[in-house]
Every structure is written in structure tokens, then in C-alpha cells.
Amino acid sequence: MNNHAIVRKASPYAYYVLIILTIAYVFNFIDRTIISILAEEIKEDLKVDDASLGFLYGTAFAVFFSIFGLPLARLADNWNRKKIIGWGIFLWSIMTALSGTANSFILLALYRVGVGVGESAMAPAAMSMLSDSFPRKSWATAYAFLGTGLFIGSGAGYWVGGTTLDLYHRWYPTGNAPFGIADWQMSMFLVGLPGIILAMVVFLMREPRRGQMEGLESQQQHPDAFKLFLGELASVVPPFTVLRLLRMEGGAKMARRNALYGSMLALTAFLLTLWLGSPVQWLAIALGLYSFISWLQRLQVIDYPCFSMVFKAKAMRYSILGFSLIGLLTYSFGFWFAPYLIRRFHATPKEVGEVTGMIVFGAGVMSILIGGYLSDYMRKSMPAARPYMGILSMLAVPFYVLAVTSDQLSHVYMYSALGIFFGMIWIPSSNTISSELVPPRMRATSIAFNALAGTLLGLAIGPYVVGEISDSLFARGYTDVESLQTAMLCTLAVVAPMAVALLVIASRHVEVDENTIMERAAAAGERT
């Protein structure tokens, strides 16, 4: 193999790329999370319950984020990554702005689907670009800096949403706003439209050469990248999934298995609907899982080395599942915390938005930066540092419990800040381990698998389940505060031990899996 010289130091332009991508991540999470501070207004305006709010925030976004994330990640492994990110920003910004025109639950859910599709283009392509812009020893730190966009964006979303609601209530106390635009709808316009300008900036960036930081030859752009992308997309969108499988060698057998998987998922969704109601929720989850299984079947045939490296490595499997369960706690607490404060303490959205926004920004940014630095520092002497960082983040659980049981609002804010600080230090490690355990050309796909697990297992299920438990308890006579509080505590008690157990298992396999990357890739058929 003719390798390029290893680039050992990031260039000044690499830091420019990192800053622009971080700003894009800020907009990503403003548009994704603003619905939390707007939840009570949406609930009243559209006449929906807590489970429906969880569906809007989680499932409607997450399922299609996951379905499109995999094909877009494969496109990022084969095409121009900055263009993928730019078009993604444009789409999610337009869909967020259009959410301001929604006058029904169904229409708002459809726009949230569009936001999910657009945002699915961001993470795999961005992290793949950063892995080719910074040396391996600095990946977790670079990912951590990128990840600050999560907290800056989430904090800004709380602030913008709360401030807009307050101004609207003062300017139009009787609800006589121009064109009948509701307060929450104006917030959607304000955070959606500026993203279009950002998309133009991203289009002007330079694309880094793949593998340059490690001296590895890597194909820069596949000549049939879009043909491959359309094939990947067809492999996750029914009924094209079956047609794609039938065209492949051994396709009839795979199609039969695919039909069996689809039938089992449909039956499970039907039974869950009979038990819990909410058919749209369970059908959406079933669709997401079916699309993923179908894509996985095709990947196993067309790119077995990638399939093997991403889905057969024990360290990869268990760490991603463990981190995804932590994500379930993060998403659940993150979404329901603002509505809980408004209900429990009768706080105004402006107050909750301002204080919570500052907490999320301050504690979150500090957490992810320290988490990235500590992860890289520990990694020098501890191969399993990445999973251990996830276990360490479970120190947040007692503070989450205190935050939702304290009777004083000032104490609630203090405990939530400590919970966020400890609870977010895992994020850089989750992204880094997805990059470290595969060759360069597979990194976007690996990161997409990480994102898919986190969204399907964490975002699509967590906020909805908390809302469903809350609705169930409310129907049994609990107050709206007691029901939501109990639902949040139950989720913490069940999920946290499972996450720790999975990460302990992952930690036992990291060293061997990382030291045998090239050998395992060659054994799976990767050409070197």
C-alpha cells in the first residue's frame, strides 16, 4: 500500500472548519430542542396529551432521523461531506420555520419528520471531516468542541423560546397577534430562518482529504456516489426494501427473512397498541427498526467488511448500546425538565427558559469539554477509557433524582446543573469510540450507527415512555405534577443500571478490538 505522509498537526483552517461546524451544531440543537420550552403552549393550543408531546419531540423526529441517517452516512463515506451538511442545514431550517405554520398535531408531526431528515445529515459527515482534519490523539477534544454546540444550541433554544413566549404574552395578552400566529409558532420562525444563511457558509468550506491525518490511502469520492446513495435509500424505504433484496444474490432467501422480520415487528406494534394505545408511536418505531434491519441485510452483502467491523465487534456493540441508554436518560430528562418546572412551581416560560438555558449552556459546555479532555488523557494509559467515561457519567443520577424531588426551585436549579455536568461527560467518548474501532472509510457509517442507536433507543422511546407513564398515572388520580415526577424517577431507576452493565462489558473488549482493526478488516475481506 502506498501511504501518504502522516499529517501530525492540525492546520489553522482545520480550526476554522471546527468553528463553522460547531455553529451548525448550535442551530441543529436549537431547532431540535426548542419544542421543550414550548411544550405547554403546544399542548394547550393543539389539545394534545403528554404522550403526544413525547412523540413530537422524540419519535416523529428520531425515527426518520435514523432511517435517513444511514444512507446519508454512506453517502458521506463516498461523496462531498460539506455539501451533505449544507443541504441538511437548509432542509432542517426550512422545516423548522414551516413548523410555525402548523395548526394541527399531524401537520406539526410531519414538519418534525422533515427536521429529523435534515438533521440526520449533520453528525456523521461532520465527525468524518474532523477525523481528517485533526490527529487521532485530539479526536475526542475536537468532538467535544463540536459537541458544545449541543449545549449552546439547547440553552439558546430555551432562552429564545421562553423570551418569545413572554414578549408575545405582553404584546398580545388577548391573543390578537397578526395573522393569528401563536406564540410558539413565532418561536419556530425565529430559530428556523437564520439557518438558511449558515447553509451558504458551509457550502463555501474546503473538503479535507480522507485519511490524511493517518497517512492512509483512501478513495476521496466514489464516481457513482449518488447511485449508491439511491440504492441505500431504497434499501430502507418500504416497499423498495424487498425489491432491492430480490435483485441481489440469494435475494429470495433474504426477502423471505425480511418479510418475517417485518411481520414480527408489525405484530409487536399491534400488541403494544392494544396494550398501551398510541398506534402512531408503535408503528413509527416498527418502521424505524424494519428500515434498519433491511439496510443491514443489504450492507452485509454489498460491503461485508463494513458490516463486520461495525456490527460484529463486541466493544462497538456494547458501548453503543450502553451509551444509547444513557442518551435515553439524557433526552427524557432534557425534554421533560422544563414542563415539570412550569407545572410544579408555576414558573413562567421566560424564567424557566432563561435559567435553564444558562444552566444547560454553562454546565453542559464545561462538561463536554472536560469530558473530551479527560477521555483523551485517560486513554493514554487506559484502553477502556471511553466506556469508563460513560460509567462515570452515572454520577448524575442522584442529582437528577434530587432535582425532581426538591421543594425549592433554587435547589432544583442547583441539582440540575450538577446533574447536567456529570451527565454529559460521556458524549465525546461515545463519538470517539465509534471512530477508533473502524478504518477511515467506514467512520461515517460507524458514527451513523451510533447516532441511530441513540435516536431509536433513546430519543424515540425515552421522552414518549415518560409521557405515556405520566398520562397513565394522571388517569389514575395523580396530579399532573406527581404523574410526571414519578414517570421521570421510574425511568432513571430502570435504565441507569442497564447502561452501566453494558459499558462494563464493552470495557473488557476495547483493547483487543482496537489492536486488531486491520487484521479483522482483512479477515472480513477489506482490500489493503
Side-chain angles (χ1 to χ4, degrees), residues 397-418:
V397 171
F399 295 110
Y400 286 152
V401 172
L402 290 170
V404 297
T405 56
S406 177
D407 292 329
Q408 295 187 41
L409 184 57
S410 60
H411 291 175
V412 170
Y413 286 136
M414 178 184 67
Y415 293 135
S416 67
L418 290 169

Side-chain angles (χ1 to χ4, degrees), residues 474-521:
F474 183 75
R476 297 183 182 185
Y478 285 64
T479 66
D480 61 348
V481 174
E482 293 170 338
S483 61
L484 183 53
Q485 180 188 64
T486 304
M488 295 169 75
L489 292 173
C490 287
T491 304
L492 288 170
V494 172
V495 176
M498 296 170 60
V500 171
L502 287 165
L503 290 171
V504 168
I505 297 172
S507 68
R508 298 175 179 174
H509 298 281
V510 170
E511 185 172 11
V512 172
D513 284 358
E514 186 170 0
N515 290 337
T516 58
I517 289 176
M518 301 313 295
E519 291 87 344
R520 290 185 293 111

Side-chain angles (χ1 to χ4, degrees), residues 375-424:
S375 181
D376 280 340
Y377 180 79
M378 291 172 58
R379 179 63 185 80
K380 295 175 183 178
S381 59
M382 191 180 299
R386 314 307 188 191
Y388 287 156
M389 290 298 294
I391 296 170
L392 184 64
S393 74
M394 288 295 91
L395 290 174
V397 171
F399 295 110
Y400 286 152
V401 172
L402 290 170
V404 297
T405 56
S406 177
D407 292 329
Q408 295 187 41
L409 184 57
S410 60
H411 291 175
V412 170
Y413 286 136
M414 178 184 67
Y415 293 135
S416 67
L418 290 169
I420 290 170
F421 174 77
F422 285 107
M424 304 300 174

Side-chain angles (χ1 to χ4, degrees), residues 267-446:
L267 177 61
T268 301
F270 175 72
L271 294 175
L272 286 170
T273 298
L274 290 179
W275 179 29
L276 299 171
S278 302
V280 176
Q281 163 72 17
W282 304 116
L283 285 173
I285 294 290
L287 174 62
L289 291 173
Y290 172 75
S291 297
F292 170 64
I293 290 171
S294 300
W295 178 85
L296 193 59
Q297 283 185 285
R298 184 169 182 271
L299 181 67
Q300 187 174 7
V301 175
I302 66 170
D303 193 350
Y304 183 77
C306 184
F307 169 85
S308 178
M309 294 299 292
V310 175
F311 300 102
K312 285 193 171 184
K314 292 181 179 178
M316 181 79 79
R317 285 205 309 266
Y318 289 115
S319 64
I320 286 179
L321 286 173
F323 285 129
S324 296
L325 288 180
I326 300 177
L328 188 153
L329 299 179
T330 302
Y331 285 124
S332 299
F333 188 86
F335 175 68
W336 286 111
F337 184 61
Y340 173 75
L341 294 183
I342 293 171
R343 296 180 193 182
R344 171 69 178 81
F345 297 99
H346 304 289
T348 65
K350 182 178 185 294
E351 178 190 350
V352 173
E354 289 177 348
V355 178
T356 304
M358 287 189 294
I359 289 172
V360 169
F361 171 75
V365 169
M366 187 183 303
S367 173
I368 201 167
L369 290 176
I370 291 175
Y373 174 81
L374 185 60
S375 181
D376 280 340
Y377 180 79
M378 291 172 58
R379 179 63 185 80
K380 295 175 183 178
S381 59
M382 191 180 299
R386 314 307 188 191
Y388 287 156
M389 290 298 294
I391 296 170
L392 184 64
S393 74
M394 288 295 91
L395 290 174
V397 171
F399 295 110
Y400 286 152
V401 172
L402 290 170
V404 297
T405 56
S406 177
D407 292 329
Q408 295 187 41
L409 184 57
S410 60
H411 291 175
V412 170
Y413 286 136
M414 178 184 67
Y415 293 135
S416 67
L418 290 169
I420 290 170
F421 174 77
F422 285 107
M424 304 300 174
I425 59 175
W426 62 275
I427 294 175
S429 296
S430 172
N431 294 326
T432 304
I433 200 170
S434 299
S435 297
E436 288 179 333
L437 295 177
V438 296
R441 79 165 185 88
M442 304 175 187
R443 283 178 186 149
T445 301
S446 178

Side-chain angles (χ1 to χ4, degrees), residues 111-179:
Y111 289 138
R112 289 289 292 174
V113 166
V115 174
V117 173
E119 294 196 5
S120 67
M122 175 75 198
M127 291 179 190
S128 177
M129 286 182 71
L130 292 181
S131 71
D132 289 326
S133 302
F134 291 86
R136 177 185 284 263
K137 66 180 181 180
S138 301
W139 282 357
T141 303
Y143 292 164
F145 191 90
L146 177 70
T148 61
L150 186 163
F151 302 103
I152 298 171
S154 298
Y158 281 116
W159 182 83
V160 171
T163 301
T164 303
L165 293 180
D166 179 70
L167 290 174
Y168 241 62
H169 291 165
R170 281 194 273 163
W171 290 345
Y172 309 108
T174 60
N176 58 335
F179 308 106

